[in-house]
Amino acid sequence: MAIIPETITIPVADGTSLPAYLARPAGRAAPVAVIVAHELFAVNPDIRGVADALAQAGYLALVPEFYHRHAEPGRWLERTDAGRREGFALLHQLRRQHALADAEACLSWLGAQPDIQRTAMIGFSAGGHLAYLAACQLPISHTAVLYGGWLPTTDIPMSRPTPTLDLTPGISGRLLYLVGEDDTLIDAGQRGQIRGALEQAGVEHELVVYPDVGHAFFWPGTPAFDQKARDHAWNRILNLLANS
């Protein structure tokens, strides 16, 4: 399916302007919109590729630049040591209230688009944390969290003042959590905490653990890439969205 890519700017309630990459299916209404939350490296070609694939599947995909308060528009980082250092510096400037303000601005913008009936969200790693946080606080119909870290801790500003996992009772939609068994950032203990919080809150959810798979398994060309896990994860995401 042909798609129409563009870059837009969305006003945020705090007076800032949020740049975002938008991909829409050409010549077809998209009743479901999907916000894609980027990982540490910002809106890089991998993340834009996810949006393009969603648009090809018939969804309106929006990728906000959540670092926009501290990074130039369009800036993304390489998967290098320098890129990680800069990414962590930016991540540690992203406050919970700012992440939620940006997500709420995206929801408002998408809700004003013709034919949009529901909005879902997908997040990768740090963006997975952001997607989980947004699902706890905002009316998101379905959320896919790919190896979202730091949920039971206060290690990043988005997880303060109390751990984001403590907000789980606020989730009103369905949540899919995908993670590798060998993910050193989200070990078995943390996976148990996440599962327990979702079960105790009565959230409709599924937590999928891939054996012998590490963190960031979704990206081709990276050491952790696992084709089988990626294919399965993508099919689960599309199934989640198809039933949203």
Side-chain angles (χ1 to χ4, degrees), residues 51-242:
D52 292 347
L54 288 169
Q56 288 168 349
Y59 300 100
L60 179 63
L62 180 69
V63 192
E65 296 184 15
F66 288 105
Y67 294 155
H68 68 97
R69 292 173 183 83
H70 301 100
E72 295 179 0
R75 178 158 180 74
W76 57 273
L77 310 173
E78 298 283 356
R79 297 180 188 276
T80 61
D81 289 343
R84 287 183 180 85
R85 285 193 297 271
E86 185 175 349
F88 275 114
L90 290 166
L91 178 63
H92 280 276
Q93 295 179 84
L94 181 56
R95 304 290 185 251
R96 173 176 283 177
Q97 68 269 27
H98 292 151
L100 288 171
D102 290 350
E104 189 168 21
C106 291
L107 281 172
S108 297
W109 189 89
L110 289 167
Q113 303 310 299
D115 303 311
I116 295 298
Q117 300 171 11
R118 295 173 301 283
T119 299
M121 193 164 183
I122 298 172
F124 297 83
S125 193
H129 186 118
L130 200 160
Y132 195 105
L133 171 64
C136 293
Q137 302 282 283
L138 301 171
I140 296 171
S141 66
H142 290 62
T143 306
V145 176
L146 287 90
Y147 39 85
W150 306 290
L151 291 173
T153 75
T154 55
D155 291 345
I156 60 173
M158 279 194 293
S159 64
R160 299 173 195 154
T162 58
T164 296
L165 197 63
D166 291 356
L167 306 176
T168 299
I171 298 175
S172 58
R174 182 180 171 194
L175 187 134
L176 172 66
Y177 191 101
L178 304 164
V179 64
E181 184 180 41
D182 295 342
D183 193 320
T184 56
L185 184 63
I186 307 142
D187 60 19
Q190 288 204 9
R191 294 196 299 271
Q193 288 178 279
I194 294 166
R195 188 188 302 275
L198 291 165
E199 290 176 350
Q200 185 174 1
V203 175
E204 184 182 356
H205 73 279
E206 189 169 9
L207 194 154
V208 179
V209 181
Y210 296 108
D212 304 317
V213 171
H215 191 75
F217 64 82
F218 199 80
W219 307 118
T222 64
F225 175 61
D226 188 289
Q227 185 69 60
K228 185 177 179 181
R230 178 194 165 101
D231 291 345
H232 184 272
W234 185 245
N235 286 333
R236 296 303 287 268
I237 290 167
L238 291 179
N239 182 66
L240 176 77
L241 297 174

